[in-house]
Structures are given as structure tokens and as C-alpha cells.
Amino acid sequence: MNPRINSFLSLFLLLLLFTGCTLSRFAKKVEKGQTITAQPSVLMVRGNQVPVEVQAQLPKNLLRDDYRYGIRVFYKAEKGVEEHVGSLGFDFGNYNFVDGKPTMGSSFAFPYTPSKIRGQLMAQGVVTDPKGRKRFTKSKVLAEGIITTPQLIQTVHAPAYVPENFKNEAPGPLKFPIYFDQGLATLRHGYGTNLQLLEDFIKTNQKTQKIEILAMHSPDQMETTTRNLASRRAVAVERFIKQKIETEVYNNTVADIKFNLRTLQKNWAAFLGRVQNSAMPEEQVQQILDIVNGPGSFEEKEEKLQALSSYDYLETYVYPVLRYAEVTIDYQPNLRRDYEIYLLAKKIVENRANADALSADEMQYAATLTPLLAEKKKIYESAVETYMNWQSLNNLGMVFYEQAQKEMRPKVKQNLLANAILNLRYAAHRKPDAQQFYNLAVAHHQHGDVLEALQSYDYAIRLGGPLPVLQQVFTDKAALELSVGQYDDAVRSLSYAGKGYAAQFNMTLLYFLKENYEGAAELGEKLLVEYPQDANTHYLMAVIGARSQKEDLMAQHLKLAVKAKPALAGKAIDDLEFKQYHKSAAFAEALRP
């Protein structure tokens, strides 16, 4: 070989070796000098995610223009499966100086699954030289395992079918509250206005004798100072109804229907009805009653209401649903006997009869005449296809919801819930009331749609309704807020949720999650007075004992929890809340059957 070539190759290999050694030495310096921490040190699930904040710091002299440094964060499950969580890159502009050292941090979240409970959150530095070659530092454990205590959250989740009152008797007059935006008398189709429901009924061609329209406004200043607001709302609704009858109906004429328009100006009656039918505590309701029934002008009373702690509730949940015109319709439906309705419905489903052989109400009623879920589904589907009425939409959604509760396959369950949501959303928009939006919220909640569920819970509260329904709404809304870490919002919701089991349990859990262990234990003991055999409460009390370093409390309630529900023994063994007691005699004794 040519001596020159041999010399060149030797020099190249020497440079390559030197560069590799330099990269390795630099990686070791970084590994020794870096500081990487995670908060919390023991991860905790929130909803279906595990949030974590990672912070990294380097000595200033280890940041070089020719070398790039980054950190990969990953979660290593118990069986060695790695999942990428996020990364930090010490590039110019990405970091700040803290105590003279380059420092950066970021928030991450990764999906929770039961297989990850015993895993580790880890970080590994990556050094890259100008030519793109990489060296990795040793992996570092940032956090051990995942705590799942927030999953103890209790829900009511009691969506409901539309009760059927059709059976062999004519219903009473129908009422449609048509909602308006603040200060306006303009009709609009859209979220929660109820206008679509009124239009759908007009198109059913039910023989109508009389239509009454009662319009009003909310007590706030913008509404009370807008000239003739209630009257203009009544006129707007009347014009809408007459236009639809003249252009799209064959069984009625405007001349044959008696219209009666009324307005309520500066009247407290509807307001008081909403307040007394709200979820506010009795003392707040009484404060409002004292003001409204006391001395002073309408405007003076409204000013006094603004000074109350409950005024935020009034503005959010009461005033918006007082901006409406209520339409009352007297009509005469054509009735059939049960067996006629059921047989005709089956023929319609099997395409052996015209789709309009039964009215929307009759199709709705036909579905209640069979106990078979699959048959109900077909009847409701036919009713929806023909009439798109809110009752059939709601009940078809409920059929999908019921099927989802029985389904064990996650993907199939999610698809069923998605179908439930589709139909329940249409139903809620056509008949906006507390129950309809609660049904929709629960389906969104179980499907994992946090923002949509919270919006629907909130709208259900605004519409008002029977106190038991509103307390269910507030309880489940609080449960969702608690699961995603919105603790302050959960406190507010639970204050209106009543004294049901789920509400009391979640308040106990909330105290625990806010690290008020003494308060949580006190609430838990009160709950056990009412529900002495409840496994979930005993288990939570055992966790409270573990966090409070009270081994006797932990062992006492864990034993009672396992006795009431033996499956909790396995959960306790995996639960990191009891990690410090896993080898103790008291823990072992508590798990014995």
C-alpha cells in the first residue's frame, strides 16, 4: 500500500476514534451534571390520563453550540413495554436560567391502562454531535408507579327514557317554551332555542283548535329596559306559527285556529318558580324570597339580588331561561288500541305498511309494548326515520346506551355510545330541558368527551327542572370535574348536589385529594353511619388511614372493605397507597377472608 494512503487512513481512524471518545466523554459529563425531576414523585391518574411535570437542569458549561442535548421521557410498564411520553430539547430559546443554570420544564400526559400501575416514569439524555451521531446517558427513574385513588369516584349516571302517556287517552295541551337571546326578540334555530320542536309539531298536521302565546323577560336591566320586549317576542312567535301553517300544513288553517297573546312585564312569578325549583340551598332560596316579597320597586329588588352570593347562580342558571315565549297548543289526536298500534308498528318495520300509517306518538308508544331491546330499537329507528320527533330520538339513544352498558368489548362499547350521543343530541336540541341534556351529558361522560359532557351538564342546570334531576346533574358534573382535577369547580357543584350517596362519597374523596385527611376521615365516618356496609367507603377510609400513617385505621377499614367486596383484596395488593404496608402483619391480616 502507498505510504501516503496508509498515513491518511491512520489519521482518519485516529480522528474518528478521538471524535467518538469526545462524544462519549461529553455524554458522561452531561449524565453526571444533569438534574431531572418529576412532579408528582408518585403519579396519579386523572380521568383516563396520567399528568406529570418534568424539569431538567444542566451546568452552564455543558451547553455547547456544536453539540445538541435533549431528554426523552418515557414510561416503562411492568413487563418492560416502553411508551413515549414527551421530550425536552435544550435549544436556544427553550430554556431559562435558574441560579445561573439552564433550566427547562414541560407538562406531559399519557393514557392510563391497568397494566401501567407498577411501571416507572423514566428519562434519558441524548447527546448529538455536529455530524448527527448520538450518545445516550443512563436512564433515570423519575417516578414509581401510578396511584389510582381518583378512580374511586362515584357517579349516578341515570339517563331516562321519555315516559309514555299516550295509552288510549288524549294528552293535555302541549307547551313549547321558545327561548331568546338576552335583550332580543329575534327567533333563531339553534342550540337550545326549542324552535325546531315547535316547527316539527306543526308539520305533524295534528288538528289544532287554539294556540296561546305567553311571553316574558328576565329581571336583569338589559331585559327590563328594552322597550316592549315581551310583546315583540310574542308577536315574533305568532308570525312564525302562522307562516308555517300557511305554507306547510294541510290539516289546519290560520282562520280556524284561535290565537291568544299575553305578556308578563316586570313579573316575579316565573322567576320565583325557577328559584324554588332550583338546586340552591334552602337558606339561599329564602334570602331571594325575602327580597322579592319585601318592599321596593322591581328595579330595587333586582339590585338587592345582585349583592347576594347566589347571584352568580341566578345569572348563569335562572335568568337565561326566563327569556322566552311559551306556546300552548290545544289539539285532538286520533287514537287507536294497543294491539292495533303494535301490529301496525311491526308491519312498518317490516316494510309491509306505509311509514305514516301511525303517527309519531303512536310509533313512540308501540316501542313500549315490547320487552325486547332489539325490537324496540327497530321501532324507534323507524319512528326517527319517518318523523324525527324528540321522544323517539331520545329513546333510540337510550336503547344504544343500554346496549353499551352490557357490552364488554371496548371498541364496540364506544361505537354504541357514539350512536347514543348522536340521537340524544338531536333529542335535546328539539326538546331542551334538564332531563334531555342530562341524558346527553351522561353519554358524553361515558364516551370520554369531557368538554361536551360539561357543556351539556351545564345546560341541563340552566334549563331547570325537578330537584332530584338537578341534584343528579350536579352530582355527575362534580364527578367529572373531580376526575379531571378541577377541584374548585367540583366543590361548587357538590354544594348543590344534595345528600345522595355519590355526592357525599365524592366530597369525602375531594377532601382526600386536597390532602385534608382529617376532614376526609370525618366525612367518611358520617357516610358509613348511613351506609355501614359500603365497600367503597371502607376502602377509601383505609387509603385515608394509609396516607395519615394510621396503620390501625387502615387495617380496620381495609378488612371491612374486603369482607363486603372480596375483589378489593387484589386491588389493595396492587395499590401503591398501601406500598409501605405491603409487608406488614396488619395489612396481611386485613386481606384474609
Side-chain angles (χ1 to χ4, degrees):
M1 182 180 290
N2 189 309
R4 277 188 167 185
I5 296 176
N6 189 37
S7 176
F8 177 78
L9 287 173
S10 298
L11 180 61
F12 176 77
L13 291 172
L14 184 62
L15 287 171
L16 187 63
L17 180 61
F18 176 77
T19 303
C21 291
T22 301
L23 182 59
S24 297
R25 283 199 299 270
F26 184 67
K28 288 181 180 179
K29 287 182 180 179
V30 169
E31 181 181 306
K32 187 176 180 181
Q34 70 184 359
T35 302
I36 310 173
T37 58
Q39 288 294 331
S41 57
V42 179
L43 305 178
M44 183 181 293
V45 65
R46 281 192 178 179
N48 295 320
Q49 297 288 311
V50 182
V52 63
E53 293 184 7
V54 178
Q55 186 178 77
Q57 191 174 61
L58 282 177
K60 184 178 180 181
N61 64 343
L62 291 181
L63 275 184
R64 293 169 48 174
D65 294 336
D66 53 344
Y67 284 85
R68 186 175 184 273
Y69 179 65
I71 298 170
R72 74 182 190 101
V73 182
F74 60 97
Y75 192 83
K76 189 174 182 179
E78 195 172 13
K79 294 183 179 180
V81 178
E82 293 186 6
E83 178 180 347
H84 177 72
V85 174
S87 59
L88 301 172
F90 273 85
D91 299 319
F92 182 77
N94 284 355
Y95 56 85
N96 297 314
F97 284 90
V98 178
D99 297 329
K101 295 181 180 181
T103 304
M104 68 177 301
S106 187
S107 297
F108 304 110
F110 59 95
Y112 167 78
T113 58
S115 64
K116 298 175 184 176
I117 291 178
R118 292 282 192 169
Q120 296 174 319
L121 183 73
M122 307 188 75
Q124 184 178 41
V126 184
V127 181
T128 308
D129 71 7
K131 294 185 178 181
R133 289 171 293 198
K134 300 179 185 295
R135 289 291 186 274
F136 296 89
T137 67
K138 289 182 180 178
S139 298
K140 176 184 179 181
V141 177
L142 302 181
E144 294 271 5
I146 301 172
I147 287 177
T148 60
T149 305
Q151 291 191 331
L152 294 174
I153 292 167
Q154 300 297 305
T155 57
V156 179
H157 283 183
Y161 282 88
V162 177
E164 182 51 62
N165 299 316
F166 175 81
K167 188 175 181 180
N168 285 332
E169 59 184 38
L174 290 178
K175 293 183 181 293
F176 302 90
I178 309 301
Y179 296 101
F180 293 83
D181 292 330
Q182 187 179 26
L184 299 178
T186 306
L187 288 172
R188 65 172 179 85
H189 285 80
Y191 194 76
T193 64
N194 222 7
L195 193 61
Q196 186 63 51
L197 179 63
L198 175 61
E199 182 175 350
D200 289 345
F201 175 79
I202 294 171
K203 290 179 180 179
T204 63
N205 281 293
Q206 300 285 348
K207 187 62 179 176
T208 302
Q209 294 87 30
K210 182 180 179 182
I211 296 178
E212 293 186 355
I213 303 171
L214 173 63
M216 61 178 301
H217 59 78
S218 58
D220 53 286
Q221 186 177 11
M222 180 180 289
E223 290 265 309
T224 56
T225 57
T226 302
R227 187 177 180 184
N228 296 327
L229 183 58
S231 297
R232 289 191 289 114
R233 285 173 174 171
V235 171
V237 173
E238 181 189 35
R239 287 175 179 171
F240 175 82
I241 295 173
K242 287 182 176 180
Q243 187 269 333
K244 289 295 176 183
I245 291 174
E246 288 173 349
T247 58
E248 301 186 35
V249 172
Y250 58 81
N251 203 27
N252 291 300
T253 64
V254 171
D256 292 335
I257 300 173
K258 181 181 179 181
F259 285 85
N260 183 21
L261 276 62
R262 295 187 297 127
T263 61
L264 289 177
Q265 304 276 359
K266 296 185 178 181
N267 187 291
W268 290 109
F271 170 82
L272 291 177
R274 289 285 182 178
V275 167
Q276 291 173 307
N277 202 22
S278 74
M280 284 187 289
E282 290 184 12
E283 59 271 18
Q284 291 186 353
V285 173
Q286 190 58 51
Q287 287 177 338
I288 295 169
L289 293 176
D290 290 343
I291 291 174
V292 173
N293 295 327
S297 66
F298 190 93
E299 291 77 10
E300 289 171 343
K301 292 178 180 179
E302 210 282 327
E303 284 186 19
K304 290 179 182 178
L305 292 176
Q306 294 179 28
L308 298 177
S309 60
S310 58
Y311 190 72
D312 179 56
Y313 186 102
L314 297 179
E315 276 195 310
T316 305
Y317 299 125
V318 177
Y319 283 5
V321 289
L322 295 176
R323 301 160 187 152
Y324 72 95
E326 183 178 72
V327 181
T328 303
I329 301 178
D330 281 327
Y331 73 104
Q332 182 62 49
N334 297 318
L335 302 177
R336 292 185 175 93
R337 295 182 179 180
D338 284 5
Y339 76 90
E340 295 176 305
I341 293 173
Y342 177 68
L343 292 177
L344 264 177
K346 289 199 69 174
K347 289 181 180 179
I348 292 170
V349 168
E350 296 166 358
N351 293 319
R352 295 189 292 113
N354 291 332
D356 59 357
L358 292 176
S359 70
D361 287 341
E362 289 170 328
M363 282 294 288
Q364 162 75 14
Y365 179 58
T368 69
L369 300 176
T370 173
L372 302 176
L373 207 58
E375 200 169 57
K376 286 179 185 288
K377 177 173 170 287
K378 290 180 180 179
I379 294 174
Y380 286 134
E381 283 176 334
S382 180
V384 167
E385 183 179 351
T386 305
Y387 298 106
M388 282 293 285
N389 64 322
W390 70 271
Q391 296 96 328
S392 295
L393 284 162
N394 178 86
N395 289 356
L396 178 58
M398 284 300 302
V399 169
F400 282 118
Y401 178 84
E402 278 197 273
Q403 289 176 329
Q405 305 313 298
K406 299 175 182 178
E407 181 57 58
M408 301 300 294
R409 294 165 293 178
K411 287 186 178 180
V412 178
K413 183 183 184 75
Q414 287 295 91
N415 288 336
L416 288 168
L417 286 171
N419 285 329
I421 288 168
L422 178 65
N423 288 282
L424 292 173
R425 182 188 295 118
Y426 280 125
H429 288 187
R430 281 164 169 73
K431 182 65 166 64
D433 63 21
Q435 185 67 59
Q436 298 306 308
F437 274 95
Y438 174 63
N439 293 352
L440 176 60
V442 170
H444 274 306
H445 192 157
Q446 292 198 5
H447 194 249
D449 312 322
V450 174
L451 294 179
E452 292 85 350
L454 288 174
Q455 183 184 46
S456 295
Y457 282 135
D458 192 61
Y459 208 83
I461 296 164
R462 290 190 190 188
L463 290 169
L467 184 58
V469 174
L470 292 180
Q471 289 179 339
Q472 286 180 351
V473 177
F474 272 117
T475 299
D476 286 337
K477 181 173 182 281
L480 182 54
E481 290 163 342
L482 194 56
S483 72
V484 297
Q486 296 177 3
Y487 295 160
D488 291 340
D489 292 334
V491 169
R492 184 170 182 269
S493 295
L494 285 171
S495 68
Y496 299 114
K499 298 299 181 182
Y501 164 75
Q504 292 187 65
F505 182 94
N506 291 342
M507 183 62 84
T508 307
L509 181 60
L510 178 58
Y511 271 55
F512 169 82
L513 294 174
K514 297 189 79 168
E515 300 184 0
N516 183 350
Y517 303 134
E518 185 177 343
E522 185 178 338
L523 290 175
E525 293 291 357
K526 288 181 179 179
L527 186 56
L528 285 171
V529 171
E530 192 171 353
Y531 302 96
Q533 307 300 321
D534 182 57
N536 292 322
T537 305
H538 280 299
Y539 191 88
L540 178 55
M541 288 293 290
V543 173
I544 293 169
R547 283 280 191 101
S548 306
Q549 307 296 314
K550 297 178 179 178
E551 187 174 20
D552 290 343
L553 182 68
M554 178 276 298
Q556 172 195 348
H557 286 285
L558 184 57
K559 188 172 187 66
L560 292 170
V562 172
K563 181 180 178 181
K565 190 176 180 180
L568 289 176
K571 176 178 173 60
I573 291 171
D574 288 331
D575 197 335
L576 294 177
E577 296 281 13
F578 303 113
K579 184 178 180 180
Q580 62 179 316
Y581 298 109
H582 278 171
K583 294 181 181 179
S584 74
F587 183 79
E589 177 63 28
L591 298 183
R592 288 183 182 177

